[in-house]
Amino acid sequence: MKIVVLVKQVPDSGAERNLRADDNTVDRGSANNVINEMDEYAIEEALRIKEAHGGEVTVLTMGPSQATESIRKALSMGPDAAVHVLDDALHGSCAVATSKVLAAAISQLSPDLVICGAESTDGRVQVMPHMISERLGIAALTGARKLTVDGSTLTIERQTEEGYEVVTANTPAVVSVWDTINEPRYPSFKGIMAAKKKPVDTKSLADLGVDPSEVGFDGATSTVLEHAKRPPRQPGTKVTDSGEGGVQLVEFLASEKFV
Amino acid sequence: MAEVLVVVEATGAFGVKKVTLEMLTLARELGEPAAVVLGGPGAVDAMKDKLGEYGAGRIYAAESEELDAYLVAPKAAVLANLVREVQPGFVLLASTQEGKEIAARLAVKLDNGLLTDVVSVDADGVATQAVFAGSTIVKSKVTRGLPIVTLRPNSVTPSPSPTTPQVSTVEVALDDAAKLAKVTDRVAEQKGSRPELTEASIVVSGGRGVGSADNFKLVEELADLLGGAVGASRAAVDSGFYPHQFQVGQTGKTVSPQLYVALGISGAIQHRAGMQTSKTIVAVNKDAEAPIFELADFGVVGDLFKVVPQAAEEIRKRK
Ligand SMILES: Cc1cc2nc3c(=O)[nH]c(=O)nc-3n(C[C@H](O)[C@H](O)[C@H](O)COP(=O)(O)OP(=O)(O)OC[C@H]3O[C@@H](n4cnc5c(N)ncnc54)[C@H](O)[C@@H]3O)c2cc1C
Ligand SMILES: Nc1ncnc2c1ncn2[C@@H]1O[C@H](COP(=O)(O)O)[C@@H](O)[C@H]1O
């Protein structure tokens, strides 16, 4: 099975994240950039399918030049190769435009299966798999906590508010995964060494046949007008329990009309 | 005034979701609210009164078994046709998994911008979003097409404005591309009377400090006494204390209730990401230095196994 895994580089969600003052985009320059956590689960799932059914796994990233670090890290887990869509005209792209670029890159690779994270921690939009599915006319199986592959039939358990749904489709398809699906492996020393030699194919917009006017700020379908830091919350009252903590808690709740 | 399409979200167990009523309330400020029901046969009859109560002057009724038989794509296809036909001023959807997925497909079909996780939007289409775990407030605007906006639950206080809706039937004609992902089963796991996590006005969450799955009964008890939903930190979920769909935080649900109660939760940045826009925050933690206290309006430094049962007892007394 030919599998493409979508891997996005994002600013570490454990540190302070900012929007740039000059153009309102995510500040990736000063941030500590990491692989979007959910995408590690996507990589792991792809590797397990390859191990069980054979095939090859290609990592696909659209992002600025520093995204190569994340690509090498992803490769060190075990995928065979990577495609890095890199073009200055991409800066400022909205989700709609990003999906156009990723769809173009995917169709050049003509995979049986595309696996991605359920959402990215910088955008948190959960839109990419369905946008790609819509553009490529392939099935989208999203929000998977379990994926089974039987020949060309894919079946997922999709996590919902009330439980789960069983959803099935034939390849080619795009599947998005939550972090409940598996436990990603750590790259081995051998994996890290091998990753240095794996092919990373850098593609420009011209290589993909996408017009630069359709992406970046020119092609954006929405714009950020302004942004500001939310003032930090002010801590309130803190009491130390000396036998009455529960009662004091309820007194507070009552004063706020919750009880 | 142009119509504002409100894509109705409902669940089998609870009927029309609160976020739908929030969207109708918001829609009244933006134009003429029109509810779009995308569901199986009988869906409109079940929801009509509620939608009318909150000001839906019109209901666009798309009812077909096919809408529920496949994942999301059929709903987006019907909605896209409706948008082309009625040319609304706005399309509002819930910022839930399904709402965002429908919005995603709609945006591509119409080559149109979309804004997700919006907490408010004005008549000019300027939307407010809380990004980076609620630490940054952004004002943004769709610049291509009409505003497609997904509204984060608990952003608007729903208020009734009764009217009698006019029902317009919408044809459901799907091409094969909408029928690629077939839903073969729906399994309810956590049934019960508790409100849904993202919709609840009170959320009581437990963390690693709760210690075991069994001890989560304490968290549930307090939640039930307060009429709230139960949440959990990732450490609690990873330790198998509570199921994943109740995880609050960066990689779980974002909640924004009136009251958030954190029991045995340290308040890591990724946990805060899912709860720091809550109106009032209360914490119980035995470590006086726990970062959760930095955001708590009221904090008790103490053993939750003492504080929580006492609090539960006190609430019972007051009832
Ligand atoms: C990419 C990424 C995404 C993440 N996403 C999430 C997410 O979505 N949600 C999330 O919650 N976390 C998330 N995390 C994990 C997060 O960093 C923390 O590890 C996690 O929130 C800790 O959970 P906790 O507070 O329950 O546990 P701990 O940090 O272990 O805290 C337990 C607390 O309980 C207190 N305690 C112990 N016993 C008692 C007692 N008897 N009485 C009172 N207090 C007691 C302790 O003092 C301590 O403060 C994520 C991490 C990463 C890297
Ligand atoms: N620029 C990108 N490059 C590669 N993959 C991406 C990119 N943006 C989003 N994705 C993938 O789409 C998933 C969902 O992202 P999002 O819709 O942004 O929440 C992520 O987990 C990634 O797998």
Side-chain angles (χ1 to χ4, degrees):
Chain A
M1 186 160 288
K2 203 168 173 200
I3 306 172
V4 167
V5 190
L6 302 184
V7 176
K8 185 181 189 183
Q9 189 183 51
V10 297
D12 185 355
S13 63
E16 187 177 323
R17 293 170 290 170
N18 297 297
L19 292 175
R20 275 166 56 164
D22 56 348
D23 67 2
N24 298 333
T25 61
V26 177
D27 188 346
R28 300 180 193 277
S30 69
N32 178 25
N33 294 300
V34 297
I35 294 181
N36 179 43
E37 202 212 13
M38 222 70 82
D39 301 350
E40 294 184 16
Y41 297 80
I43 297 167
E44 176 65 34
E45 199 60 21
L47 294 173
R48 290 186 188 190
I49 294 168
K50 178 187 161 176
E51 281 154 13
H53 303 274
E56 59 180 54
V57 177
T58 304
V59 169
L60 171 59
T61 296
M62 167 183 140
S65 55
Q66 76 246 28
T68 43
E69 285 165 43
S70 295
I71 293 173
R72 289 291 169 202
K73 168 129 197 279
L75 288 173
S76 70
M77 289 173 71
D80 303 288
V83 172
H84 183 178
V85 182
L86 175 66
D87 197 308
D88 289 343
L90 287 168
H91 183 66
S93 293
C94 64
V96 177
T98 301
S99 72
K100 186 176 284 175
V101 175
L102 290 174
I106 291 165
S107 58
Q108 284 191 352
L109 294 164
S110 55
D112 304 297
L113 177 58
V114 179
I115 308 185
C116 67
E119 67 182 17
S120 55
T121 54
D122 58 347
R124 291 214 66 163
V125 279
Q126 293 184 15
V127 294
M128 212 42 70
H130 278 280
M131 287 186 166
I132 288 168
S133 147
E134 187 69 44
R135 290 192 185 279
L136 297 177
I138 64 176
L141 302 176
T142 45
R145 63 179 200 186
K146 187 175 174 207
L147 166 63
T148 41
V149 177
D150 181 6
S152 62
T153 307
L154 307 169
T155 304
I156 66 157
E157 278 182 23
R158 167 177 160 98
Q159 181 81 62
T160 63
E161 309 287 350
E162 295 165 310
Y164 66 93
E165 293 169 339
V166 180
V167 196
T168 179
N170 285 324
T171 57
V174 48
V175 175
S176 77
V177 304
W178 286 114
D179 50 355
T180 34
I181 197 160
N182 57 40
E183 204 41 67
R185 66 196 64 187
Y186 287 104
S188 64
F189 179 70
K190 215 175 119 212
I192 295 167
M193 296 315 288
K196 296 192 169 131
K197 297 194 203 78
K198 286 178 182 170
V200 178
D201 192 1
T202 302
K203 298 252 186 212
S204 66
L205 286 170
D207 294 332
L208 297 178
V210 176
D211 192 317
S213 70
E214 296 175 61
V215 301
F217 290 110
D218 290 345
T221 59
S222 58
T223 183
V224 173
L225 303 170
E226 55 183 275
H227 61 88
K229 287 270 172 192
R230 178 197 289 272
R233 287 185 83 103
Q234 296 305 318
T237 317
K238 187 159 87 176
V239 300
T240 302
D241 179 34
S242 49
E244 288 295 300
V247 173
Q248 287 170 299
L249 182 75
V250 176
E251 274 162 6
F252 173 79
L253 294 179
S255 74
E256 297 280 315
K257 311 242 177 319
F258 291 117
V259 187
Chain B
M1 256 203 297
E3 281 188 322
V4 176
L5 297 187
V6 170
V7 179
V8 173
E9 270 218 7
T11 60
F14 302 109
V16 179
K17 281 202 194 177
K18 188 166 104 191
V19 66
T20 303
L21 310 181
E22 294 182 43
M23 290 191 285
L24 286 170
T25 303
L26 175 64
R28 301 204 298 263
E29 286 164 27
L30 306 175
E32 311 256 353
V36 183
V37 175
L38 304 161
V44 173
D45 273 350
M47 298 192 271
K48 192 174 163 190
D49 290 350
K50 196 79 178 176
L51 299 173
E53 189 188 333
Y54 284 82
R58 183 185 297 275
I59 295 176
Y60 288 107
E63 294 186 348
S64 160
E65 247 128 40
E66 288 196 313
L67 289 174
D68 285 331
Y70 304 94
L71 199 65
V72 182
K75 293 182 177 174
V78 172
L79 185 60
N81 286 337
L82 184 65
V83 170
R84 287 191 193 101
E85 195 185 308
V86 308
Q87 301 284 330
F90 290 79
V91 180
L92 305 182
L93 302 101
S95 221
T96 54
Q97 177 166 269
E98 180 168 296
K100 290 195 239 186
E101 291 177 345
I102 297 173
R105 301 193 83 100
L106 185 67
V108 169
K109 279 178 192 293
L110 303 175
D111 192 21
N112 193 107
L114 88 161
L115 299 170
T116 55
D117 276 323
V118 165
V119 295
S120 72
V121 58
D122 69 19
D124 296 327
V126 175
T128 306
Q129 294 164 293
V131 305
F132 297 151
S135 66
T136 300
I137 307 298
V138 168
K139 295 230 187 270
S140 50
K141 206 176 154 125
V142 167
T143 50
R144 192 187 308 160
L146 78 165
I148 300 175
V149 168
T150 73
L151 184 74
R152 174 128 125 219
N154 275 334
S155 299
V156 176
T157 308
S159 72
S161 171
T163 179
T164 308
Q166 212 181 322
V167 179
S168 313
T169 306
V170 176
E171 195 199 354
V172 178
L174 301 172
D175 57 25
D176 289 344
K179 298 196 248 182
L180 295 170
K182 195 167 171 40
V183 179
T184 57
D185 201 6
R186 288 199 165 82
V187 183
E189 284 185 316
Q190 290 281 332
K191 271 256 202 77
S193 52
R194 279 188 204 113
E196 196 193 285
L197 187 52
T198 53
E199 301 240 298
S201 39
I202 297 182
V203 174
V204 182
S205 288
R208 199 199 308 269
V210 174
S212 73
D214 207 36
N215 291 343
F216 247 81
K217 285 201 196 99
L218 264 183
V219 182
E220 292 183 330
E221 185 191 12
L222 188 60
D224 290 342
L225 282 167
L226 293 168
V230 175
S233 74
R234 178 160 176 178
V237 170
D238 285 351
S239 311
F241 301 170
Y242 222 64
H244 177 258
Q245 64 261 42
F246 299 99
Q247 182 174 313
V248 172
Q250 181 76 65
T251 42
K253 299 273 155 55
T254 301
V255 300
S256 197
Q258 295 294 310
L259 171 66
Y260 188 86
V261 182
L263 305 173
I265 292 176
S266 60
I269 193 162
Q270 295 93 352
H271 186 77
R272 295 170 174 218
M275 47 68 74
Q276 65 185 356
T277 59
S278 305
K279 190 118 187 297
T280 301
I281 296 173
V282 167
V284 181
N285 195 303
K286 67 179 181 191
D287 174 9
E289 302 303 314
I292 191 76
F293 289 124
E294 288 163 22
L295 33 157
D297 299 289
F298 191 84
V300 181
V301 181
D303 184 353
L304 72 92
F305 296 105
K306 296 206 179 93
V307 175
V308 176
Q310 187 183 65
E313 195 45 47
E314 179 68 19
I315 296 172
R316 264 190 224 101
K317 253 193 242 162
R318 289 174 182 240
K319 274 193 170 172

